[in-house]
Amino acid sequence: MDIYTIIFLALAVFIFLRLRSVLGQRTGNERPPFDRTAARNALGGAQDNNVVTMPGKVIDQAPLAPSADPTPPSDRWKGLTEPGTALAQGLDAIVDKDSTFDPRHFISGARGAYEMIVLAFANGDRRALRDLLSSEVYESFDAAIKEREKNEQKTETRFVSIDKAELVGAELRDRTAQLTVRFVSQMISATRDKAGNIVDGSADTVADITDIWTFARDITSRDPNWKLVGTGSAN
């Protein structure tokens, strides 16, 4: 065996050991790769084609855990609504077509989406908004951002708290599930002009805000994400 062969063998062993240290060894106990297609949107709620999704993340709905004892119809939406209400009937219709839908998980995700969208709008973050809003809602948000930019204004928004996020509507329109959520929050928001003077809102006052947003998702789609399709305010 000549010196070059020895060098190449040593180099091969060195490379093997480096790869092993970086990639690790298989032990037979590794978790299977995460399948995003199999996961559902966490928001669990939808609106027309204008899902309530402000600047921020998309919500994936976690599948319902199998249960040996099916929940009695009268207790199915306990804590969310009473049996026989329009909301209960809407949730029933959605679950009948999508057994993985969990409205409680959806509400949890909706809270995060709400904060992200509000802040993205205030910051003029079009990239974040585009993925979370329906085309119609995005156009209205974009128009408002353009108006601020035209007037050389900037908005500063800070959440103090999100006190409540509750489902107030649910329905299935053909293949589209729609969920309407009422958000009750406290935030501080002020819009300043080029010189830094406040032209709207307050930099010190905490305002009580009630927003009513609708999220939507095509339940036959492999895309698990909900989008914001409608916004309203009770203030």
Side-chain angles (χ1 to χ4, degrees):
M1 184 179 295
D2 59 35
I3 185 63
Y4 293 107
T5 301
I6 293 174
I7 291 173
F8 285 128
L9 284 175
L11 183 60
V13 170
F14 174 76
I15 292 173
F16 170 76
L17 292 175
R18 291 291 295 173
L19 287 174
R20 182 172 171 178
S21 66
V22 173
L23 301 177
Q25 278 183 289
R26 294 191 62 84
T27 66
N29 297 317
E30 293 82 3
R31 292 184 180 182
F34 177 67
D35 184 357
R36 293 194 66 83
T37 301
R40 294 284 183 165
N41 191 295
L43 273 182
Q47 293 169 300
D48 241 54
N49 258 329
N50 300 315
V51 176
V52 178
T53 308
M54 279 196 101
K57 62 186 178 184
V58 170
I59 305 172
D60 293 332
Q61 177 182 314
L64 291 172
S67 173
D69 300 315
T71 303
S74 60
D75 296 333
R76 194 177 198 181
W77 309 124
K78 187 175 182 180
L80 295 175
T81 187
E82 297 296 324
T85 62
L87 176 56
Q89 293 172 3
L91 292 174
D92 286 338
I94 295 173
V95 171
D96 286 346
K97 296 296 183 181
D98 182 0
S99 61
T100 67
F101 170 66
D102 180 352
R104 294 173 180 83
H105 193 65
F106 169 83
I107 292 173
S108 176
R111 290 174 67 97
Y114 172 66
E115 183 173 358
M116 288 189 290
I117 292 172
V118 169
L119 295 179
F121 173 67
N123 295 329
D125 188 347
R126 291 181 173 87
R127 183 174 182 179
L129 292 172
R130 192 181 297 275
D131 292 335
L132 299 169
L133 313 179
S134 68
S135 57
E136 293 85 355
V137 174
Y138 176 80
E139 288 176 4
S140 65
F141 277 44
D142 181 53
I145 293 172
K146 286 179 179 177
E147 184 66 18
R148 287 203 311 251
E149 293 172 341
K150 176 183 176 182
N151 296 324
E152 298 185 276
Q153 297 175 345
K154 291 186 177 182
T155 297
E156 304 165 353
T157 297
R158 178 167 60 88
F159 272 92
V160 175
S161 65
I162 297 178
D163 302 320
K164 182 181 295 185
E166 60 179 351
L167 281 174
V168 295
E171 65 177 314
L172 183 65
R173 296 185 179 182
D174 296 325
R175 301 178 306 177
T176 301
Q178 295 187 359
L179 295 178
T180 299
V181 184
R182 179 190 289 120
F183 297 97
V184 179
S185 64
Q186 294 185 331
M187 65 179 78
I188 298 172
S189 185
T191 299
R192 298 179 184 272
D193 61 17
K194 184 178 180 180
N197 300 312
I198 295 178
V199 295
D200 187 38
S202 170
D204 304 310
T205 303
V206 177
D208 295 322
I209 305 295
T210 299
D211 286 312
I212 300 173
W213 285 8
T214 298
F215 299 83
R217 175 180 175 269
D218 182 346
I219 60 176
T220 66
S221 171
R222 299 179 68 182
D223 183 353
N225 298 321
W226 295 82
K227 288 191 174 183
L228 177 62
V229 298
T231 62
S233 175
N235 295 89

